[in-house]
Amino acid sequence: MLKSTNQFMGFDGFVWFQGVVESRADPLFLGRLKVRILGIHTEDKGLIPTADLPWAYPVMPITSASMNGIGQTPVGAVEGTWVVGFFRDGENCQDPMILGTIGGYPQKTANKQEGFNDPYGTYPLSDYLKEPDTNRLARNQKLSETIVQKKKDAQISGDIPIALAAYRNSGDNTSWTEPDPAYAAVYPFNQVMQTQSGHIKEYDDTKGHTRIAEYHQLGTFYEVYEEDGKANKLTKINGNNYTIVVDDDNLYVQGSINITTDARCNIYAANDLNIEAQSNCNIRTWKDTTIDTSGSITISAIGDITIQAGGNLNINASNITATAAQNMFLHSVSGTAVSSIAGLSMISQTYVAVSSNTGTVVSSSGPVTVTSNNITTVSGPTLLLTSTLYTSVASDALIKVGSKGLVDITSSTGLVNITSPIQINMLSPKVFRPVKLTFDITPVV
Amino acid sequence: MILPGNYKINTVSIISTEGRKQIDLTAIYTQLNIFESIMTNCITGYLTVTDTYNLISGKNYALPIMGNEIIYIEAELPAYYIMNEKDEWVMGAPNVITYYGRVFDIKNLTLINEGAQNYEIHFCSEEMILSENLKISQSYKDKPFSDILTSIFNDNFKNTISSYEFERTLNNHTVVMPNWNPLKAINWLASRSVSAAHKTTPFFFYQSLYNDGSIVDRQNNFGNHTNTSSSKYWFLSLDEMIAMWDGDVRKTIFYAPANNNSTYKSTDPESYMRFSNALNYEVTHSFDTLANTSSGMYASRMVTHDITTKSYKETNYTYEAEFQKYKYHVDNAGFFTGVKNSQGKTFSSPDYCDTHTMMTSSGTYETPNYLDTISYSRINRLQSLNTYRLNLLVPGDGLTEPGDLIEFKMRSLEVGDNGKTYDEFYNGKYLVNSIRHMFTRKEYKMTLDCSKESLNKEVRGYTASA
């Protein structure tokens, strides 16, 4: 008893062990496990209940900080997992540490009454007996019970259309399909990490079929796979997808982008929305199209702008200004009406021509003013100046009223005044005077 | 009355494993040796016989000795002395020891002549062999080590015929015995135990041949025999061993050369002189400052760490400070820790604490092991016990046990006024570590391996210039 054990930890012999995990419910959340150690602890739970087993600390790899949550989380083993470790306190065998886990070839399910077994009787799973603990995806076996089959079962059947397919030339792509699962792993090149519920990560180095894949147990996954010397990527989301970018998002695609949705497609920009196409920009709507803006809309084109409506073309605005660098045409197969509640002005720097094969009507509930800085010509087989109130013909210089026929100045109700501060000249071979003139008329001799 | 150095063998016999055959060896044994020690768990011994019946082969008496046979010893030993009405020391009634051991080996077999051979039959207590057959893989939750030890003892040695007395320990512990045999488990518990009464270490688990007279009425499965034993198992702290004497000692031993009879009074009876007289003595181990230094007895540092809280603690120890902590010592004063060296420091300078650095875990978060307060103390005191060792050859008696305190009057070379002087420092009390009982056909002697954990007198005025 005088002999004292070496009192310097690490110099007292390395005592290592193998054991079986029986609990991982660490109250301190340190990843500690209750491990029943072969040859050290009895399988008799009456003598050593699972709860009395010492907590074994996990040893993390150097790549894990094990500090403030930095690095890998020290969980992963399940009840029934075989582990290898050592005792920090050497032969005292009270402070176990776990270095790693050991896979095997389980032959029978757990006997939860005995130690060295999963106390819950879950692991090893009955479906996995008599096969290696190595993941089926790593060894390319029983694929029908793996995510490879699940991916096939969930594959989108048929073509997925792309926009404006009906307008494309023959030979252009008009649809695409979901790629088949690219899995073609060969042992031992596929490194698989699977969690208890079935989440899977794969790093597959199989020659010619290299892949990187991540799979959620409910079917959402992405897979980067080798094909024709390139690394394609398939992302499939069995649910909603949310992508949030706090700052800028940049997407550069050297090929085409096809976006197909079976439901609505909404694009919202809190600021400007810019769409630029170096080639054509095609928007095809199988129902109505509405462009609504709280500000202005500017449509400009180096070439022509064509607005074609199968029905009516309605343009509503506070003011409408149509400016043509050259000519402007308003053409209607039937009638063209230009109306204004207020004034209607037609102003031309050269001339205004209003012509009609049948008739031209200029009507106004108020005055109609025809103004010209030069000669104003109103001509026609019949030229009617009609006014319900009065008609004024005024000129700062000269008013000539001439007719190859009759010039008839008639007032059906009142006077006809011809007034001049200087002189009124009337020249005619014959003057018909049915009424007495109130002023002297000097006949022109 | 049996005087010290004498004894009476009632029975030395060997019993077959099944208990059906018993052969009396009283007439053929030439020497019987029995060992008991606080440093070993069980009594061991060997019997030297001159065999003319070829017991080993068993042809004549159908008792081949193949191991696991029972050695049964019953002897009357000089027990105690009393002072009579004439103020004389006289021996009282003898102690009867009864001991059952298991044969585990035959050694040193030599042929004397055509019809006789000598050999040694080695035996040990039942528990020692049984312990090798048993393993403990069991958890013990939130209990003092003394309770755990008691459970282990009772569960595994339920048929023992020895009595036991276990001192209560401090602190509750949760441990899992990792498939150790019972005695290893018990020793492990002892190495970590702290006395509840004295708050100190170290602890010793051992068996003594004689149990202060209380014969245990127990039965074991030694064949059909109903047996009792005078032996007893102890689990005691060093302080309890010392404290139970309350300043007294088992006996005072003198070493009186033949030409110096001044040790005893002329009126002292022979029984007293025999009882108190050392036939010889030898200092087997004196202060070994090199060993004491390297073992950390003078100064050391304990580094404990907690893997859960990621913390560690350094505690420095020096001999003098530690010595003062203990209420009980074998003798009066601490060991001298040396004159100052060329660096101006003694062995126990705090600057030398890292001479011996211990580093260990303080256990786990849920189950602290308290080693930060135990380890140094244990090492310090065990090494102290090993610092000064004395072998005393004395006439045998049936009273002295391992763990006893005795007083040895170690003579000095100087002659005083009254003709005798004693060593200033090494005279005084000693702890009996081990006893070897040697029975020959003529006499009974004991070799006492004693140690002195402290000096009789403090070393003063010892300076570098002195």
Side-chain angles (χ1 to χ4, degrees):
Chain A
M1 204 178 301
L2 251 182
K3 179 188 174 188
S4 64
T5 56
N6 192 324
Q7 295 290 328
F8 203 100
M9 182 177 280
F11 290 81
D12 51 358
F14 185 78
V15 180
W16 67 277
F17 62 78
Q18 293 181 76
V20 180
V21 175
E22 290 192 8
S23 174
R24 47 183 162 143
D26 180 4
L28 298 181
F29 310 113
L30 291 172
R32 298 180 302 174
L33 303 168
K34 296 267 188 184
V35 177
R36 192 175 296 270
I37 296 166
L38 296 163
I40 299 289
H41 300 143
T42 175
E43 65 180 11
D44 186 347
K45 289 186 176 180
L47 292 173
I48 306 180
T50 299
D52 286 1
L53 292 168
W55 284 113
Y57 282 72
V59 177
M60 299 302 293
I62 190 65
T63 50
S64 186
S66 298
M67 172 66 75
N68 301 146
I70 304 169
Q72 294 167 254
T73 303
V75 297
V78 299
E79 290 81 2
T81 295
W82 281 54
V83 298
V84 63
F86 67 97
F87 287 106
R88 285 195 309 140
D89 56 347
E91 293 180 355
N92 294 298
C93 301
Q94 301 299 311
D95 295 343
M97 305 284 287
I98 300 173
L99 290 172
T101 59
I102 310 168
Y105 216 102
Q107 301 294 305
K108 60 180 181 179
T109 54
N111 177 355
K112 50 187 181 180
Q113 308 303 324
E114 287 185 358
F116 304 108
N117 282 280
D118 176 4
Y120 305 109
T122 305
Y123 294 102
L125 298 168
S126 56
D127 294 342
Y128 284 76
L129 293 180
K130 299 183 179 177
E131 63 175 289
D133 283 325
T134 307
N135 196 285
R136 289 166 175 170
L137 294 172
R139 51 192 160 93
N140 198 344
Q141 292 175 334
K142 290 194 173 182
L143 293 183
S144 61
E145 298 173 39
T146 67
I147 61 169
V148 174
Q149 187 61 45
K150 286 184 179 178
K151 286 176 179 176
K152 284 181 180 175
D153 294 343
Q155 201 168 2
I156 302 293
S157 61
D159 294 339
I160 298 169
I162 63 175
L164 300 174
Y167 296 85
R168 294 182 184 275
N169 299 322
S170 60
D172 289 349
N173 288 332
T174 57
S175 64
W176 58 280
T177 57
E178 179 183 339
D180 292 332
Y183 178 89
V186 174
Y187 182 83
F189 299 110
N190 190 18
Q191 299 179 51
V192 183
M193 195 284 283
Q194 178 169 341
T195 68
Q196 194 177 351
S197 72
H199 307 315
I200 294 173
K201 267 187 177 181
E202 290 179 88
Y203 290 89
D204 189 351
D205 294 323
T206 301
K207 190 174 181 182
H209 301 281
T210 58
R211 292 178 305 119
I212 298 172
E214 199 163 353
Y215 183 90
H216 186 280
Q217 57 101 4
L218 289 177
T220 292
F221 68 91
Y222 78 85
E223 187 165 26
V224 181
Y225 58 96
E226 180 179 346
E227 188 174 61
D228 299 331
K230 294 196 172 181
N232 296 336
K233 183 179 182 184
L234 167 62
T235 301
K236 188 169 184 179
I237 297 164
N238 182 24
N240 297 321
N241 185 40
Y242 301 93
T243 302
I244 295 172
V245 181
V246 173
D247 289 321
D248 296 339
D249 187 17
N250 301 288
L251 172 65
Y252 175 54
V253 180
Q254 290 186 320
S256 299
I257 296 177
N258 298 317
I259 299 175
T260 303
T261 175
D262 291 343
R264 276 189 299 184
C265 179
N266 301 315
I267 299 174
Y268 173 82
N271 207 312
D272 295 343
L273 174 64
N274 302 313
I275 299 173
E276 179 181 347
Q278 289 292 325
S279 184
N280 298 325
C281 178
N282 303 309
I283 299 174
R284 174 72 173 94
T285 306
W286 292 97
K287 288 187 178 178
D288 296 336
T289 300
T290 301
I291 299 174
D292 184 13
T293 179
S294 299
S296 301
I297 293 177
T298 301
I299 299 174
S300 65
I302 301 298
D304 297 340
I305 293 177
T306 302
I307 299 174
Q308 184 173 338
N312 298 324
L313 175 62
N314 302 313
I315 300 174
N316 298 315
S318 299
N319 298 297
I320 296 177
T321 301
T323 304
Q326 295 179 20
N327 301 320
M328 179 181 288
F329 298 97
L330 283 175
H331 179 71
S332 172
V333 175
S334 63
T336 298
V338 179
S339 66
S340 173
I341 301 300
L344 179 63
S345 299
M346 297 181 68
I347 300 168
S348 173
Q349 294 296 320
T350 55
Y351 66 92
V352 175
V354 179
S355 65
S356 174
N357 292 329
T358 54
T360 300
V361 177
V362 178
S363 67
S364 174
S365 300
V368 174
T369 303
V370 179
T371 306
S372 174
N373 292 331
N374 204 323
I375 298 169
T376 302
T377 304
V378 179
S379 62
T382 303
L383 186 60
L384 297 176
L385 290 175
T386 307
S387 174
T388 54
L389 191 58
Y390 72 95
T391 300
S392 173
V393 178
S395 173
D396 292 337
L398 174 66
I399 293 175
K400 287 180 71 174
V401 178
S403 175
K404 291 178 179 178
L406 175 66
V407 175
D408 188 3
I409 300 172
T410 307
S411 174
S412 57
T413 56
L415 296 175
V416 174
N417 297 321
I418 300 173
T419 307
S420 173
I422 305 173
Q423 178 178 312
I424 297 173
N425 297 322
M426 299 177 70
L427 181 60
S428 177
K430 188 177 179 180
V431 176
F432 176 72
R433 190 175 62 184
V435 295
K436 182 180 180 294
L437 293 174
T438 59
F439 51 83
D440 294 336
I441 297 175
T442 304
V444 178
V445 179
Chain B
M1 182 180 76
I2 300 175
L3 292 177
N6 295 337
Y7 71 107
K8 179 186 175 189
I9 284 285
N10 294 333
T11 303
V12 174
S13 57
I14 187 166
I15 306 169
S16 65
T17 309
E18 303 82 14
R20 279 181 256 168
K21 293 170 186 170
Q22 179 170 351
I23 296 174
D24 190 354
L25 304 176
T26 309
I28 65 169
Y29 84 90
T30 55
Q31 193 178 81
L32 170 62
N33 288 275
I34 300 176
F35 304 92
E36 53 179 340
S37 171
I38 62 171
M39 305 298 179
T40 56
N41 298 136
C42 299
I43 293 170
T44 60
Y46 67 90
L47 195 64
T48 306
V49 297
T50 302
D51 179 11
T52 56
Y53 305 109
N54 201 10
L55 295 174
I56 296 177
S57 72
K59 286 186 178 176
N60 296 323
Y61 287 84
L63 181 69
I65 301 175
M66 305 296 285
N68 219 29
E69 294 79 13
I70 299 159
I71 289 288
Y72 172 48
I73 300 167
E74 183 180 315
E76 295 178 33
L77 305 181
Y80 56 93
Y81 55 95
I82 57 175
M83 193 170 282
N84 63 13
E85 62 277 6
K86 296 179 182 177
D87 200 17
E88 295 173 334
W89 291 106
V90 296
M91 298 302 298
N95 275 340
V96 177
I97 62 160
T98 53
Y99 176 76
Y100 287 83
R102 287 279 185 181
V103 174
F104 67 88
D105 199 3
I106 297 287
K107 289 182 178 174
N108 298 326
L109 188 148
T110 55
L111 201 62
I112 300 173
N113 54 44
E114 288 294 324
Q117 56 189 358
N118 273 349
Y119 53 84
E120 297 168 359
I121 303 172
H122 287 255
F123 59 85
C124 63
S125 294
E126 167 86 357
E127 291 76 19
M128 195 166 178
I129 291 179
L130 202 55
S131 178
E132 296 298 319
N133 289 122
L134 300 173
K135 294 288 184 183
I136 306 171
S137 181
Q138 185 173 347
S139 60
Y140 300 89
K141 202 166 187 178
D142 204 24
K143 291 179 177 177
F145 279 156
S146 50
D147 285 5
I148 297 172
L149 188 145
T150 304
S151 294
I152 290 173
F153 188 85
N154 285 330
D155 292 346
N156 292 278
F157 306 138
K158 58 185 74 169
N159 294 319
T160 185
I161 54 172
S162 295
S163 58
Y164 64 80
E165 183 175 328
F166 299 157
E167 182 184 346
R168 188 157 185 80
T169 59
L170 190 68
N171 299 324
N172 286 3
H173 297 264
T174 295
V175 296
V176 179
M177 282 301 154
N179 215 25
W180 286 334
N181 61 49
L183 290 178
K184 181 171 183 179
I186 286 172
N187 288 337
W188 185 81
L189 293 171
S191 72
R192 294 181 172 219
S193 288
V194 177
S195 165
H198 307 293
K199 313 287 188 293
T200 56
T201 64
F203 263 79
F204 301 90
F205 179 84
Y206 62 97
Q207 185 185 20
S208 66
L209 189 59
Y210 185 66
N211 67 0
D212 277 341
S214 57
I215 299 294
V216 178
D217 186 14
R218 293 193 186 190
Q219 295 184 12
N220 76 348
N221 58 350
F222 291 157
N224 297 321
H225 287 253
T226 299
N227 305 301
T228 59
S229 172
S230 62
S231 65
K232 183 173 184 176
Y233 281 99
W234 302 86
F235 179 61
L236 292 178
S237 66
L238 176 60
D239 286 63
E240 181 62 20
M241 286 181 191
I242 300 170
M244 65 169 55
W245 287 99
D246 195 21
D248 202 355
V249 293
R250 173 70 75 184
K251 63 180 181 180
T252 300
I253 297 176
F254 300 91
Y255 177 64
N259 60 353
N260 187 338
N261 59 2
S262 60
T263 302
Y264 303 106
K265 291 181 290 187
S266 58
T267 55
D268 285 339
E270 184 186 1
S271 60
Y272 175 66
M273 289 190 285
R274 283 203 190 191
F275 191 79
S276 303
N277 192 41
L279 303 173
N280 200 359
Y281 81 91
E282 178 186 10
V283 175
T284 59
H285 203 270
S286 185
F287 59 88
D288 183 342
T289 56
L290 205 55
N292 291 345
T293 300
S294 63
S295 68
M297 186 185 116
Y298 296 131
S300 67
R301 173 172 298 144
M302 184 77 198
V303 181
T304 53
H305 70 276
D306 185 331
I307 192 174
T308 306
T309 60
K310 291 183 176 178
S311 58
Y312 74 98
K313 184 173 78 172
E314 286 186 359
T315 311
N316 292 332
Y317 298 92
T318 58
Y319 176 79
E320 281 87 356
E322 197 68 13
F323 189 86
Q324 298 301 323
K325 288 182 183 176
Y326 304 118
K327 181 179 178 182
Y328 297 101
H329 294 284
V330 172
D331 217 334
N332 301 313
F335 286 117
F336 180 60
T337 54
V339 295
K340 290 180 180 176
N341 61 13
S342 59
Q343 296 178 342
K345 299 164 187 170
T346 63
F347 295 132
S348 60
S349 166
D351 294 340
Y352 292 152
C353 284
D354 55 1
T355 300
H356 181 82
T357 301
M358 294 168 282
M359 197 277 281
T360 188
S361 161
S362 58
T364 62
Y365 188 73
E366 292 87 351
T367 55
N369 58 23
Y370 307 104
L371 285 182
D372 54 337
T373 59
I374 296 172
S375 293
Y376 172 76
S377 173
R378 177 176 149 77
I379 286 177
N380 175 285
R381 302 198 84 191
L382 287 175
Q383 187 62 29
S384 295
L385 277 177
N386 202 37
T387 293
Y388 197 83
R389 301 280 290 274
L390 178 71
N391 261 359
L392 283 170
L393 181 64
V394 297
D397 66 66
L399 201 61
T400 308
E401 297 176 58
D404 280 355
L405 282 187
I406 61 165
E407 182 180 15
F408 178 58
K409 294 292 189 182
M410 179 177 282
R411 297 184 61 82
S412 177
L413 293 179
E414 296 87 5
V415 177
D417 295 339
N418 58 0
K420 57 182 177 183
T421 59
Y422 298 107
D423 189 278
E424 192 175 12
F425 303 115
Y426 300 114
N427 182 58
K429 294 175 184 173
Y430 285 81
L431 179 75
V432 177
N433 293 333
S434 309
I435 302 175
R436 175 184 181 180
H437 303 269
M438 295 174 291
F439 301 90
T440 63
R441 301 204 70 85
K442 292 182 180 176
E443 58 184 352
Y444 167 35
K445 293 178 184 175
M446 295 191 302
T447 301
L448 308 180
D449 175 23
C450 306
S451 63
K452 199 168 182 57
E453 166 264 8
S454 46
L455 299 175
N456 185 43
K457 182 182 174 184
E458 186 179 359
V459 179
R460 287 181 180 275
Y462 196 131
T463 64
S465 58

